[in-house]
Amino acid sequence: MTIKPDADGALRMPEPRPDKAPVKTNAYRYARQANTQLLPMFPYDGPGDIVSACTSIRAGGQSGKRGYFLHTNAVDEVMVSFGANGRVRTGDVVVGPKTHGVGGSGAAEFFALNVVTQRQLEEGEQLEAVAFACEACSQEIFKLSFSAFTTADHDGFFPPLPSNAGAAEAAARFNASEANRTCKACGHVSDPFPIAMWGWDKYLRATSVSEDARRALEEAIRK
């Protein structure tokens, strides 16, 4: 929604749309039941919507390799740290560049609970991209672009967050082909991306079960 000055020049937030009622949740409780990184916290991700997603991770050291990728977004992302002991500090609020690195692991174990928020464009195309770099020379070796909006051909009741669906597809393609993991600059073959650490595949499987269950219920009602 666009906020415009009223007759006396003041900016006032319009009343919410009937189909977009204000909602709230607790980030700590939400993270506890998350099955994926970047789990959407609210049911809105259409044009003009505020999209907030929760991430919770423990990696590095004995917790294992987290993996690293580059994410490109057409809109700004605001990251708020609700607790961390690594590079990100508790209480940090960060607005990074449109293309930014995500992940990475060090020798020391760390944890982080963050909420990432963005406002979708009200109109026009909004693209995101996930890219993987060579582990040896940092040259980009694979990239997948996708729409940040649910595509028109998706007939589901509660479609998956496009960011998660796109990232899952990018990682699956990267892992499935050695050619996609081979650097044209130096010839190094990078390891497969540890998608299980991020949970995107589990999130999509759970979404599929939810969609099938909803269809089964509607079919039972019609009988």
Side-chain angles (χ1 to χ4, degrees):
M1 80 180 52
T2 300
I3 302 176
K4 298 180 179 179
D6 58 18
D8 60 4
L11 292 174
R12 294 185 174 86
M13 182 73 72
E15 292 293 321
R17 288 168 37 183
D19 61 334
K20 297 287 177 73
V23 288
K24 65 179 181 179
T25 190
N26 183 293
Y28 301 102
R29 181 175 296 171
Y30 209 78
R32 186 176 62 186
Q33 60 194 19
N35 62 358
T36 183
Q37 301 304 321
L38 210 65
L39 181 67
M41 302 173 73
F42 308 113
Y44 311 132
D45 61 8
D49 288 344
I50 301 294
V51 179
S52 291
C54 183
T55 71
S56 59
I57 189 74
R58 189 185 299 275
Q62 295 184 348
S63 291
K65 184 178 179 182
R66 184 186 183 194
Y68 179 83
F69 63 95
L70 293 168
H71 178 230
T72 299
N73 203 334
V75 298
D76 288 326
E77 299 179 8
V78 181
M79 188 278 292
V80 179
S81 169
F82 282 79
N85 70 341
R87 294 190 303 269
V88 174
R89 301 168 302 176
T90 301
D92 274 353
V93 178
V94 179
V95 180
K98 294 292 197 298
T99 296
H100 50 274
V102 182
S105 299
E109 184 179 272
F110 71 93
F111 68 85
L113 195 162
N114 305 321
V115 172
V116 180
T117 300
Q118 67 185 50
R119 182 170 185 244
Q120 305 290 77
L121 296 178
E122 293 193 7
E123 57 185 23
E125 187 176 44
Q126 182 177 327
L127 294 177
E128 294 186 35
V130 167
F132 300 96
C134 174
E135 295 170 334
C137 71
S138 300
Q139 181 77 19
E140 182 182 292
I141 55 177
F142 181 79
K143 182 177 182 178
L144 179 69
S145 298
F146 50 90
S147 175
F149 294 120
T150 300
T151 56
D153 60 353
H154 193 288
D155 62 352
F157 302 98
F158 299 106
L161 183 70
S163 298
N164 286 349
E169 182 180 355
R173 291 191 188 185
F174 180 72
N175 290 352
S177 169
E178 185 173 297
N180 287 342
R181 294 184 281 113
T182 301
C183 180
K184 293 181 174 59
C186 72
H188 176 77
V189 180
S190 293
D191 292 335
F193 182 81
I195 189 171
M197 179 71 79
W198 296 80
W200 300 322
D201 52 345
K202 186 176 182 180
Y203 168 76
L204 293 179
R205 286 196 300 271
T207 298
S208 175
V209 171
S210 175
E211 296 287 283
D212 289 345
R214 177 69 179 266
R215 292 189 181 93
L217 176 63
E218 291 204 339
E219 179 66 24
I221 293 172
R222 286 193 292 267
K223 291 181 179 179

